[in-house]
Amino acid sequence: MSERKTFRIGTRKSQLALVQTEIVRKRLQEAFPELEFLVEPMSTTGDRILNVSLSKIGEKSLFTKELEVALADGRVDFVVHSLKDLPTVLPEGMFLGAVTEREDPSDALVLSPKFTGHTLTTLPEGSVIGTSALRRVAQLRRRYPHLVFKDARGNLNTRLAKLDDPEGDYAAIVLAVAGLVRINMGHRISQVIPPKDSLHAVSQGALGVECRENDADVRKLLGFLNHHPTRITCLAERSLMRQLEGGCSVPIGVNSSIKDRVLTLHGLVSTVDGQRVVEFEDKVSLKSSKSDKDDFTLATELGITVAKELIDRGADSILAELAH
């Protein structure tokens, strides 16, 4: 370690982003009490454009670009992201220094007080469900055709306020369990949506800490934060997405797990209306692996295998339609 004593952490300004950054800062501060970790909040394109759905903006680095510019310029030393926001191909010179232990990656149904006690199945015909993710709309529309889905952008508190407005349109909104838990709003979860209804987003529930590839000091610090099982499951998911070249604008869902050193990955690609769905699941044993690096290679290969099978089953034509 060089003589550096102060490290600056870049983050978005939203409450959730600040809470997530504080989780990372606190762990580092406890592990390295002799060092100082300062938080530098900033706005991103995704934070500023709130009147357009994510799928229509079409930019893959909506919530990360400005943070990465600050990192490249040396204004910050590393950046904390929701890993699901981080593009699968990083800019040249950038490195994913750590992936933290995953919170529950599931989606959650949060009901308006007017509909307390309901589930997705029992909500009245025509009830409006708010979500900004095409992935959720595509999967839930297939399972629950009696519901109407409407875009809902804004930070978590903004969306919850829209939901709780007595004059509002929404019967419920769908959010990530992880975000609600992290801002101490887990009590608002009315139903955890099971994988059979909605596979989660790639890397949902995990934090990714990005740094400069050539910054040995920071890479050494961040290595302490790595949670190996989360890193390899997210690596498999990100490998699948990279092969399919999907972002916020593409309905790609995943589910992954590690049990007894066997890594399983389930992938799904759907049309936005949920009428055409392609799914595939495969697994790989990590038992013969001799190192973390071997695990990373096997996880990456699993993601590619599942993606290629999805393409063979028709995902390429779905993705081509969505691109136009």
Side-chain angles (χ1 to χ4, degrees):
M1 181 72 70
S2 71
E3 295 305 305
R4 288 159 77 183
K5 294 292 183 190
T6 301
F7 294 86
R8 297 181 184 278
I9 312 173
T11 175
R12 292 166 60 196
K13 287 181 174 176
S14 74
Q15 181 195 3
L16 177 58
L18 291 168
V19 166
Q20 292 179 162
T21 302
E22 181 57 21
I23 291 169
V24 169
R25 191 204 68 78
K26 189 176 177 188
R27 282 199 63 202
L28 287 170
Q29 194 65 75
E30 287 170 353
F32 305 102
E34 72 283 6
L35 303 177
E36 183 179 30
F37 298 94
L38 303 176
V39 175
E40 301 275 350
M42 55 193 83
S43 291
T44 66
T45 304
D47 295 313
R48 289 191 291 268
I49 306 175
L50 294 174
N51 59 342
V52 181
S53 68
L54 296 177
S55 59
K56 289 191 173 70
I57 302 171
E59 167 68 61
K60 283 185 186 174
S61 53
L62 267 181
F63 296 108
T64 60
K65 194 170 187 179
E66 287 81 355
L67 297 169
E68 288 176 329
V69 169
L71 187 54
D73 290 350
R75 283 176 281 147
V76 296
D77 298 297
F78 53 96
V79 175
V80 178
H81 303 284
S82 289
L83 187 54
K84 69 182 175 67
D85 293 335
L86 192 62
T88 56
V89 178
L90 301 185
E92 192 172 344
M94 296 300 154
F95 180 74
L96 185 56
V99 176
T100 66
E101 184 169 5
R102 196 174 210 166
E103 184 61 72
D104 183 346
S106 307
D107 289 328
L109 182 74
V110 182
L111 290 166
S112 160
K114 294 178 288 193
F115 291 94
T116 299
H118 278 277
T119 64
L120 284 163
T121 305
T122 65
L123 280 168
E125 178 108 21
S127 294
V128 176
I129 311 297
T131 175
S132 57
L134 286 182
R135 169 188 60 80
R136 291 170 179 148
V137 174
Q139 294 184 84
L140 294 175
R141 189 177 270 157
R142 176 171 63 139
R143 299 283 186 191
Y144 303 101
H146 69 291
L147 301 175
V148 174
F149 294 88
K150 185 176 168 184
D151 196 54
R153 290 284 319 279
N155 64 41
L156 285 184
N157 287 319
T158 301
R159 284 186 257 181
L160 288 168
K162 287 178 184 175
L163 177 68
D164 293 342
D165 179 355
E167 307 299 316
D169 295 336
Y170 300 109
I173 55 176
V174 182
L175 300 167
V177 168
L180 289 162
V181 169
R182 286 186 183 129
I183 64 166
N184 293 317
M185 296 294 276
H187 62 279
R188 289 300 308 266
I189 296 172
S190 310
Q191 178 186 359
V192 175
I193 300 173
K196 69 178 177 60
D197 285 356
S198 180
L199 297 183
H200 59 73
V202 167
S203 304
Q204 187 160 306
L207 304 182
V209 189
E210 186 180 15
C211 64
R212 292 180 292 275
E213 194 168 20
N214 62 2
D215 193 335
D217 289 347
V218 168
R219 286 182 61 166
K220 192 171 180 182
L221 285 176
L222 297 182
F224 162 78
L225 296 171
N226 258 314
H227 184 253
H228 187 68
T230 301
R231 184 149 195 149
I232 57 176
T233 50
C234 288
L235 188 58
E237 294 173 10
R238 285 169 63 80
S239 170
L240 175 147
M241 183 178 254
R242 188 184 307 115
Q243 194 75 16
L244 295 175
E245 295 187 330
C248 291
S249 56
V250 179
I252 295 174
V254 293
N255 195 30
S256 61
S257 62
I258 298 180
K259 190 172 181 183
D260 299 327
R261 294 285 291 160
V262 173
L263 174 62
T264 303
L265 176 64
H266 185 149
L268 171 148
V269 177
S270 170
T271 52
V272 180
D273 62 9
Q275 294 305 300
R276 284 172 58 208
V277 177
V278 178
E279 296 184 70
F280 182 65
E281 181 175 302
D282 204 356
K283 59 185 68 177
V284 64
S285 173
L286 307 176
K287 288 173 184 171
S288 61
S289 173
K290 302 280 194 298
S291 65
D292 287 358
K293 193 173 178 183
D294 287 352
D295 285 354
F296 297 157
T297 301
L298 289 165
T300 301
E301 288 171 353
L302 178 63
I304 292 168
T305 299
V306 174
K308 284 182 173 174
E309 183 62 32
L310 289 171
I311 289 166
D312 287 347
R313 293 180 179 206
D316 52 346
S317 62
I318 294 174
L319 295 170
E321 282 173 27
L322 290 166
H324 295 298

